[in-house]
Amino acid sequence: MKKLILSLAIISAIFTGCSSSSDDAPVLATGDITGTFTANKTFAKGNYTLKGIVKVASGVTLTFDAGSTITCDKGTGDNAFVILNGGKAIMNGTASEPIVFTEKSEVPGSWGGIIMYGDAPIKGAGGLTTLLSEDGNSLNYGGTNAAHNGGTLKYVRVEYAGAKLADGQKENNGFTFYSCGTGTTLDHLVSYKGADDGYEFFGGTVSMTNAISYGNYDDAFDWQDGWQGQNNTNWYAYQEVKGNFGMEIEASGNNNTFFPKVEGVTLKRAAGCTPEDNASIEIDAFQFKKEGNGEFNNVIVDGYGTYTVNATTYNGAIVKIQDVTTNTNQVTGAKIKVTNTKISNTTQTTPIGATGSIVVSFPVGNFTTSTTTTGASLTAGTWASVKGASLIK
């Protein structure tokens, strides 16, 4: 009996000695993410290094666990995360543990951001249904698969993007979506301090919910090629230091019968924020050109005031129509609606044309104001914070 008791005591001591203290921090995974992935892979929660133009091939799913941080270094060359048409990225972050893509130097414009390709319908200049991407990858986009599914990006933040890749025609954005479809989930995303647009859509049918564009040098939100997302909600932009339009909206010169819809929009411009190019006058909340259109309801606009350059003062507007054709077909044709809008610290509080020859007159009910508008409704938290500072001002 004494031997049995002694044996049990020894076993108990062994297991007690081997148990982990509740204060021990978990060991996070590490490693490089590089090349083109041709087989499914899951990255456990960890701190990873992204090297080069990383691509997810068609038929392949790449999964990232919540709380992961993926860092690249512009000193090593071009970097970007690209989901090719037919590939999927599953990024299910959470409000308390977002998935973060960032860059070592923390300088805007240091990498190419997240780029997703699909085969949903587009309508490019001249009515073209396929085009070549301008991001440096030079890949075709466009197709007939309105339900394209590029995966799930949920609670994902992209920081310091906007670099030009290879011989790309222009800088990339925080998030770039080439003809992505309704099967793709875009929810609770943050584009933080990039050198180009926060988000840009090149055609497609995908929608985006609960999105923050913070401190991006060009436009907070931008699209072309007949993007027609129908279920967009809660878009929030805060422009500081440098920034152009809150939204730059065009349809590549096509008088489309369709248009995107966004419910709950907040566009804020900090005092002292100047256009990206000091010679430009891109200081309006909404700019429509090349047959751009859309419905926007429950909108807050604040801070789009005056800007002086070379002794000339320009007046920021709630809505600016850039060309006669857009005014005729989209405004008069009732394909642009900006309703229940609360406007403050903005010089032109009614829609105007870019020149005196463009006389803008919205049909009754298509441009309305409200004092009770709430704009984008977002819940603050870790997902919407950087270094402890909330991005929701």
Side-chain angles (χ1 to χ4, degrees):
M1 186 65 177
K2 289 182 179 179
K3 289 182 178 179
L4 175 61
I5 293 173
L6 179 61
S7 298
L8 290 174
I10 292 171
I11 292 171
S12 176
I14 291 172
F15 278 98
T16 301
C18 292
S19 65
S20 296
S21 167
S22 59
D23 294 331
D24 290 345
V27 177
L28 297 180
T30 60
D32 293 342
I33 300 173
T34 189
T36 298
F37 284 83
T38 57
N40 296 345
K41 184 175 178 61
T42 296
F43 289 93
K45 177 181 177 181
N47 297 314
Y48 298 96
T49 301
L50 186 144
K51 293 184 175 181
I53 312 298
V54 174
K55 297 178 180 179
V56 183
S58 179
V60 174
T61 298
L62 218 59
T63 302
F64 290 87
D65 285 351
S68 294
T69 298
I70 300 92
T71 304
C72 58
D73 182 356
K74 68 176 183 178
T76 64
D78 287 346
N79 301 284
F81 184 82
V82 183
I83 303 111
L84 298 174
N85 181 28
K88 290 183 181 180
I90 305 298
M91 303 183 189
N92 281 316
T94 67
S96 60
E97 289 193 302
I99 295 168
V100 179
F101 284 75
T102 190
E103 196 278 332
K104 182 180 178 181
S105 72
E106 301 185 353
V107 174
S110 293
W111 71 296
I114 292 179
I115 304 169
M116 181 184 289
Y117 285 88
D119 55 357
I122 71 166
K123 201 169 183 181
L128 292 175
T129 56
T130 60
L131 290 170
L132 198 64
S133 67
E134 59 182 33
D135 59 348
N137 289 304
S138 296
L139 297 173
N140 287 316
Y141 65 98
T144 59
N145 180 21
H148 156 264
N149 182 353
T152 297
L153 306 184
K154 191 171 184 179
Y155 290 103
V156 178
R157 183 166 73 244
V158 169
E159 302 176 346
Y160 314 115
K164 182 183 290 187
L165 304 177
D167 59 351
Q169 300 172 41
K170 59 175 287 187
E171 293 87 352
N172 288 287
N173 312 288
F175 293 87
T176 307
F177 303 109
Y178 284 102
S179 59
C180 298
T182 57
T184 306
T185 298
L186 306 177
D187 179 55
H188 284 91
L189 305 182
V190 175
S191 181
Y192 179 79
K193 291 191 176 181
D196 204 78
D197 302 322
Y199 305 84
E200 186 162 9
F201 298 87
F202 291 85
T205 56
V206 69
S207 296
M208 179 170 67
T209 55
N210 304 303
I212 295 174
S213 178
Y214 188 99
N216 293 293
Y217 283 1
D218 197 353
D219 313 308
F221 303 96
D222 190 352
W223 60 87
Q224 58 183 295
D225 297 338
W227 175 62
Q228 52 185 304
Q230 297 293 292
N231 299 302
N232 305 282
T233 59
N234 297 323
W235 286 16
Y236 179 95
Y238 188 79
Q239 296 176 282
E240 61 171 11
V241 186
K242 293 182 182 181
N244 294 332
F245 301 117
M247 289 192 187
E248 184 175 31
I249 300 163
E250 65 163 283
S252 304
N254 297 296
N255 184 12
N256 297 320
T257 58
F258 55 81
F259 41 79
K261 300 177 182 179
V262 188
E263 177 72 28
V265 177
T266 297
L267 303 176
K268 291 188 175 184
R269 192 177 182 90
C273 181
T274 64
E276 178 184 20
D277 177 355
N278 285 334
S280 72
I281 53 173
E282 299 180 350
I283 56 173
D284 307 304
F286 289 86
Q287 187 230 35
F288 295 88
K289 65 180 180 180
K290 298 181 181 179
E291 304 274 25
N293 54 20
E295 289 187 3
F296 310 88
N297 183 54
N298 188 13
V299 178
I300 288 178
V301 168
D302 179 77
Y304 293 80
T306 60
Y307 171 66
T308 301
V309 60
N310 298 327
T312 301
T313 297
Y314 299 94
N315 296 321
I318 172 67
V319 171
K320 183 172 286 183
I321 308 301
Q322 200 67 25
D323 55 81
V324 172
T325 305
T326 300
N327 191 41
T328 301
N329 293 336
Q330 307 306 320
V331 176
T332 305
K335 296 177 184 177
I336 297 177
K337 298 180 182 180
V338 182
T339 52
N340 295 311
T341 305
K342 184 178 181 181
I343 310 167
S344 56
N345 302 309
T346 297
T347 308
Q348 298 283 353
T349 58
T350 56
I352 63 170
T355 64
S357 63
I358 304 172
V359 180
V360 179
S361 179
F362 274 65
V364 174
N366 284 9
F367 177 80
T368 63
T369 59
S370 170
T371 59
T372 58
T373 290
T374 56
S377 179
L378 297 170
T379 301
T382 304
W383 79 277
S385 303
V386 174
K387 298 180 180 179
S390 176
L391 305 182
I392 303 173
K393 304 294 184 180

